[in-house]
Amino acid sequence: MASRPPQRTTRLSSARSGLRGSERFSLWLLAAVAATIGALSLFGAATSIVGLFDGRGASVPLFTDAPVPDDAATGSATIVSGAFTEAQVVIAGLEPWSLVFLAGGIAVRALIFAALAALFVALCVAVLRGKPFGRSMTWIVATVSVTLIAGGLVSVALTGIGQFWIVDQLNAEPGDTIFPTATAGDLTPVFIGIGLAAIGAAFEVGARLQRDTEGLV
């Protein structure tokens, strides 16, 4: 009597059997939280952009150089010196193109957060499938890293141009204003993108090892 060949289990089922129920729940929860954060970032950006063009005045962050009043403290301690470095100003009558640049910076930053959220979701799903080093994950990590690097630089450029244009409309003489024309941008997404590029290289090595291991089974 011929013996039955051993049943082959799929990679998916074997991977799932390697994860406890609490671990699978944690991964799904993390994926849901990441997706929610990405959706909220897009919704918040859309709300901010609509607020720029609603005709009631645009709320614009501007760098400033205004001293803190000496009588700002009423307690036992006294203020020796101080200055405000940023102000949220509501401005009406701005030229549309300056608002377009600001809106572009807001939109690009939102896309950066959405891309990071999508990366976390994809990574959680890949772990649940038992293929965290699949070829698709390598491409996703590389794509998100490029998005962060390029998006971070573009966002800083668009926001800086918009702020410079707005300050020029507030005061034609740069020396006669508390809002300097200088601007600064947050390059954190760029550095995160560079770090993801290094992680992407590690994922490529892991993908090769995974393919070699599967070829031996």
Side-chain angles (χ1 to χ4, degrees):
M1 181 175 177
S3 60
R4 272 170 44 185
Q7 294 182 346
R8 298 178 60 186
T9 57
T10 63
R11 241 182 258 111
L12 180 61
S13 61
S14 62
R16 285 182 175 174
S17 63
L19 292 174
R20 294 192 296 270
S22 59
E23 294 172 337
R24 291 198 297 271
F25 174 78
S26 299
L27 288 170
W28 281 118
L29 180 61
L30 180 60
V33 170
T36 302
I37 292 175
L40 289 176
S41 67
L42 294 175
F43 177 77
T47 303
S48 299
I49 292 173
V50 170
L52 292 176
F53 299 95
D54 62 1
R56 294 179 296 179
S59 181
V60 180
L62 294 177
F63 291 95
T64 184
D65 186 15
V68 177
D70 295 334
D71 58 354
T74 58
S76 59
T78 58
I79 297 177
V80 177
S81 63
F84 295 103
T85 59
E86 188 174 353
Q88 193 75 22
V89 188
V90 179
I91 309 172
L94 292 172
E95 295 181 9
W97 279 110
S98 58
L99 298 178
V100 169
F101 279 103
L102 285 181
I106 294 173
V108 173
R109 282 197 301 272
L111 290 176
I112 289 174
F113 278 104
L116 275 175
L119 174 61
F120 279 110
V121 172
L123 182 58
C124 290
V125 173
V127 173
L128 286 166
R129 294 177 57 195
K131 300 173 65 176
F133 297 108
R135 184 177 296 273
S136 60
M137 275 306 305
T138 303
W139 282 104
I140 291 174
V141 172
T143 301
V144 173
S145 66
V146 172
T147 301
L148 263 64
I149 294 173
L153 295 175
V154 170
S155 175
V156 168
L158 291 176
T159 303
I161 293 173
Q163 289 175 332
F164 183 89
W165 204 337
I166 290 172
V167 169
D168 185 64
Q169 295 173 70
L170 289 175
N171 294 92
E173 295 294 333
D176 188 24
T177 177
I178 63 172
F179 300 111
T181 56
T183 183
D186 185 9
L187 295 177
T188 302
V190 177
F191 293 109
I192 295 177
I194 294 173
L196 280 179
I199 294 175
F203 266 78
E204 177 62 26
V205 174
R208 292 177 183 175
L209 292 175
Q210 180 172 285
R211 289 195 297 270
D212 294 341
T213 302
E214 291 173 352
L216 295 175
V217 177

